[in-house]
C-alpha cells in the first residue's frame, strides 16, 4: 500500500486498468450476521460524507430522468457500472456529472432530506455533511435559495428523524482560488452563511493542487469560528498531511491514508489527538489503495491515532456507514465493545458540544450493555 500511495501521481491519472473489485466484493466477508445486526442498531456519528456523493441510486435516477440531456443513466441498475471507477480522476469526472443534475433549490432540498433519511435508517444520530456550495452557485443556483434549502432540510430531518445535521463547506481545490474565494465568502458572510455550518474543508484531486495556497482562506474561515477539516493524503504522500496541519491548521484530516508512510507524522497525529476520517471502501473504489487488506487502518490504530470510520460517497462506492463499520470490524478484529469504542471515537472527534457528545456516548454504552446482556 505504501508504494501504491507513493505513486499516487501516476494512479490519479492512470489509464484504465480494467474493472476494479466489484462492489459486491467490498462487503466485508466473514463478519458474522450477529455482529452486523449489532452494527445496524449501534448509534453512530458520521464525520466524512459528501452531500452529492450521498445521492441514492433512486434520487440520481429521478434527477437523471428529469434532465435527459445528462450522461448519467436514469436506470438504477446501469448506475452500478457507471459508478465503477478506473482511477481517482475518473471518479471526479463521474462525480461532477452527478453535480450537474442538481439544478434548483428544490433539487438541493430533496437531496439533503433524503440523505438525512438514509443516515437515520442507519442509526446515525449526528452527521457533518460536506457540501460544495461553489459547485452549485457556479451552475446558477441562487445562493440564498441554496442555503434556505439545506437549512429547511436540516430542520425537517432533526424534527422528523431525530438526526442532527451540521455542515462543512469545502473548497473544490482544483477549481482554483476563485472557488476558494467564493466558498470562503459563502462560509463567512453573516448574511448568507447557514446556521448549521461548523467547518471548512478542501476536496477534490490533490495532485497539482498544493495545500499551502489555501492558507489565507482557511485563516478567514477559522477567524469566523469554523473548524478546519481538509482532505489530505488521500491521493498524495504524507507531506500533504503535514501541509494541511501546518498551513491550514487542520483539526481533523480527511482520509490521511498516506500518513502510514511517515512514522513521525503518525506520532504527531497521535500526540496532538488529530483524528483521521478513514473511509476504507472509498479508498478501494477510487483505487487510492489496492485492496482492503492493504489498507493502513491497522497501522493508524497501532500508532495510537484516533481513528474514525466514515463512508465518503456511499452509493457511488457501493457501501454505507454500517458496512464501513463491518469492514473495520474485520480489519481491526473488533467485537461489540471494540465497535462501540470506534463509534465513540467519532463522537469525540465531532464538533458537537460536550453535552451533545455525552448524550450519544451514553446511548452507545446503554445499547452495547443491553446487547451484551440480552
Ligand atoms: N473522496 C473524495 N476526495 C476528494 N473530494 C471528494 C471526494 N468525494 C467527493 N469529493 C468532492 O469532490 C469535489 C471535487 C470537485 C472538483 O474537483 C471540481 C473541480 C473543478 C470544477 C468543479 C465544479 O464544480 O465546477 C469541481 C470536492 O469538492 C469534494 O467535495
Ligand atoms: Zn471525502
Amino acid at each position: 500500500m505504501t508504494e501504491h500511495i507513493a505513486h499516487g501521481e501516476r494512479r490519479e491519472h492512470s489509464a484504465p486498468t480494467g474493472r476494479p473489485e466489484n462492489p459486491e466484493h467490498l462487503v466485508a466477508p466473514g463478519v458474522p450476521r450477529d455482529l452486523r445486526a449489532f452494527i445496524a442498531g449501534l448509534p453512530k456519528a458520521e464525520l466524512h460524507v459528501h452531500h452529492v456523493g450521498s445521492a441514492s441510486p433512486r434520487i440520481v435516477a429521478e434527477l437523471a430522468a428529469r434532465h435527459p440531456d445528462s450522461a448519467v443513466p436514469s436506470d438504477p441498475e446501469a448506475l452500478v457500472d457507471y459508478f465503477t471507477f478506473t482511477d481517482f480522476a475518473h471518479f471526479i469526472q463521474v462525480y461532477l456529472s452527478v453535480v450537474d443534475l442538481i439544478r434548483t433549490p428544490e433539487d438541493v432540498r430533496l437531496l439533503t432530506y433524503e440523505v438525512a433519511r438514509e443516515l437515520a435508517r442507519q442509526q446515525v444520530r449526528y452527521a457533518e455533511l460536506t457540501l460544495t456550495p461553489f459547485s452549485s452557485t457556479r451552475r446558477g443556483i441562487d445562493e440564498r435559495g441554496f442555503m434556505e434549502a439545506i437549512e429547511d432540510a436540516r430542520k425537517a430531518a432533526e424534527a422528523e428523524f431525530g438526526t442532527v445535521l451540521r455542515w462543512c463547506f469545502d473548497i473544490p481545490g482544483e477549481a482554483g482560488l476563485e472557488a476558494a474565494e467564493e466558498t470562503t465568502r459563502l462560509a463567512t458572510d453573516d448574511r448568507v452563511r447557514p446556521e448549521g455550518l461548523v467547518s471548512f474543508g478542501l476536496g477534490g484531486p490533490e495532485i497539482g493542487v498544493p495545500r499551502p495556497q489555501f492558507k489565507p482562506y482557511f485563516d478567514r474561515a477559522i477567524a469566523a469560528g469554523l473548524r478546519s477539516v481538509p482532505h489530505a493524503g488521500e491521493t498524495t504522500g504524507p507531506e500533504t498531511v503535514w501541509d494541511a496541519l501546518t498551513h491550514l491548521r487542520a483539526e481533523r484530516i480527511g482520509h490521511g491514508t498516506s500518513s502510514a508512510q511517515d512514522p513521525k507524522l503518525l506520532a504527531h497525529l497521535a500526540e496532538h489527538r488529530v483524528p483521521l476520517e478513514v473511509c476504507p471502501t472509498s479508498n478501494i473504489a477510487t483505487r487510492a489503495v489496492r485492496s482492503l487488506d492493504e489498507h493502513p487502518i491497522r497501522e493508524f490504530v497501532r500508532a495510537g491515532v484516533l481513528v474514525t470510520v466514515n463512508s465518503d460517497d456511499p452509493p457511488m462506492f457501493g457501501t454505507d456507514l454500517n458496512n464501513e463499520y463491518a469492514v473495520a470490524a474485520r480489519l481491526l478484529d473488533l467485537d461489540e465493545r471494540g465497535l462501540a469504542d470506534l463509534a465513540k471515537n467519532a463522537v469525540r472527534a465531532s464538533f458537537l458540544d460536550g453535552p451533545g457528545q455525552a448524550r450519544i456516548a451514553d446511548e452507545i454504552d446503554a445499547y452495547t450493555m443491553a446487547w451484551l446482556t440480552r
Side-chain angles (χ1 to χ4, degrees), residues 155-170:
K155 288 173 187 158
E158 190 166 335
E160 291 170 38
F161 310 133
T163 296
V164 172
L165 291 183
R166 291 291 179 265
W167 316 126
C168 168
F169 279 1
D170 81 337

Side-chain angles (χ1 to χ4, degrees), residues 48 50 231 255 312-313:
H48 188 125
H50 296 263
H231 286 64
H255 297 276
D312 212 12
D313 304 287

Side-chain angles (χ1 to χ4, degrees), residues 256-280:
T257 321
S258 63
S259 306
Q261 293 168 29
D262 182 344
K264 281 208 182 79
L265 176 56
L266 287 181
H268 179 94
L269 295 170
E271 185 190 340
H272 295 275
R273 306 302 284 161
V274 179
L276 295 184
E277 301 159 1
V278 178
C279 311

Side-chain angles (χ1 to χ4, degrees), residues 4-5 8 11-12 14-21 84-88 90-91 234-235 281-291 317:
H4 192 60
I5 277 280
R11 300 294 312 168
E12 212 173 73
S14 66
T17 51
R19 211 182 157 80
E21 285 182 84
T84 299
F85 309 111
T86 53
D87 55 19
F88 190 82
H90 178 220
F91 160 66
E234 179 186 18
T235 50
T281 298
S282 158
N283 297 147
I284 311 308
T286 64
R287 300 184 176 226
V289 175
R290 219 184 318 255
S291 71
F317 301 147

Side-chain angles (χ1 to χ4, degrees), residues 69-360:
D69 56 317
S70 160
V72 181
S74 54
D75 167 10
E77 282 189 14
L79 274 175
V80 175
D81 271 345
Y82 191 68
F83 288 158
T84 299
F85 309 111
T86 53
D87 55 19
F88 190 82
H90 178 220
F91 160 66
I92 291 291
Q93 187 190 327
V94 170
Y95 187 89
L96 290 177
S97 71
V98 180
V99 169
D100 279 337
L101 292 176
I102 296 150
R103 302 188 182 177
T104 67
E106 179 46 32
D107 293 342
V108 173
R109 201 202 69 83
L110 172 74
L111 172 62
T112 316
Y113 182 77
E114 292 301 324
V115 170
R117 185 204 301 279
E118 170 58 16
L119 290 166
R121 182 189 69 77
Q122 298 184 73
Q123 307 303 322
V124 173
R125 301 289 187 264
Y126 171 84
E128 291 170 17
L129 189 61
T130 297
L131 298 93
T132 314
F134 171 78
S135 290
S136 291
T137 57
R138 85 172 300 189
R139 283 169 177 75
I141 299 182
D142 165 68
E143 65 194 48
R144 280 177 205 282
F146 179 88
M147 303 302 170
E148 277 166 23
I150 61 173
E151 283 294 300
D152 183 51
R154 178 176 73 81
K155 288 173 187 158
E158 190 166 335
E160 291 170 38
F161 310 133
T163 296
V164 172
L165 291 183
R166 291 291 179 265
W167 316 126
C168 168
F169 279 1
D170 81 337
I171 301 170
E174 205 174 49
L177 297 186
E178 177 209 349
E181 179 58 43
E182 173 74 343
T183 308
T184 309
R185 182 182 68 77
L186 294 169
T188 58
D189 183 338
D190 288 337
R191 290 163 302 180
V192 276
R193 67 183 272 179
E195 209 184 311
L197 185 68
V198 294
S199 61
F200 196 71
L202 172 59
E206 293 176 24
I207 292 165
V209 188
R211 310 285 99 171
Q213 66 184 309
F214 300 105
K215 177 178 166 40
Y217 306 96
F218 274 75
D219 282 345
R220 279 161 59 194
I222 292 166
L226 299 176
R227 320 291 290 265
S228 169
V229 290
H231 286 64
E234 179 186 18
T235 50
T236 60
E239 65 287 349
T240 308
V241 180
W242 282 118
D243 281 348
L245 293 167
T246 309
H247 299 281
L248 310 183
R249 292 186 273 160
E251 291 186 60
R252 290 194 317 244
I253 301 287
H255 297 276
T257 321
S258 63
S259 306
Q261 293 168 29
D262 182 344
K264 281 208 182 79
L265 176 56
L266 287 181
H268 179 94
L269 295 170
E271 185 190 340
H272 295 275
R273 306 302 284 161
V274 179
L276 295 184
E277 301 159 1
V278 178
C279 311
T281 298
S282 158
N283 297 147
I284 311 308
T286 64
R287 300 184 176 226
V289 175
R290 219 184 318 255
S291 71
L292 281 176
D293 287 319
E294 291 171 84
H295 198 282
I297 189 168
R298 291 186 200 89
E299 283 144 88
F300 298 154
V301 172
R302 222 177 290 133
V305 176
L306 188 74
V307 165
T308 69
V309 165
N310 306 277
S311 64
D312 212 12
D313 304 287
M316 293 187 178
F317 301 147
T319 192
D320 62 18
L321 188 61
N322 286 343
N323 189 58
E324 296 309 287
Y325 272 68
V327 167
R330 179 168 82 73
L331 296 181
L332 300 172
D333 196 21
L334 302 177
D335 60 7
E336 286 88 346
R337 284 183 210 281
L339 284 160
D341 286 343
L342 190 64
K344 283 196 277 184
N345 280 357
V347 174
R348 201 172 310 136
S350 78
F351 299 134
L352 262 173
D353 60 13
Q357 290 195 9
R359 209 170 310 123
I360 304 179

Side-chain angles (χ1 to χ4, degrees), residues 2-26:
T2 303
E3 204 187 332
H4 192 60
I5 277 280
H7 292 106
E9 185 139 5
R10 274 199 290 130
R11 300 294 312 168
E12 212 173 73
H13 296 290
S14 66
T17 51
R19 211 182 157 80
E21 285 182 84
N22 186 306
E24 294 288 314
H25 301 150
L26 297 174

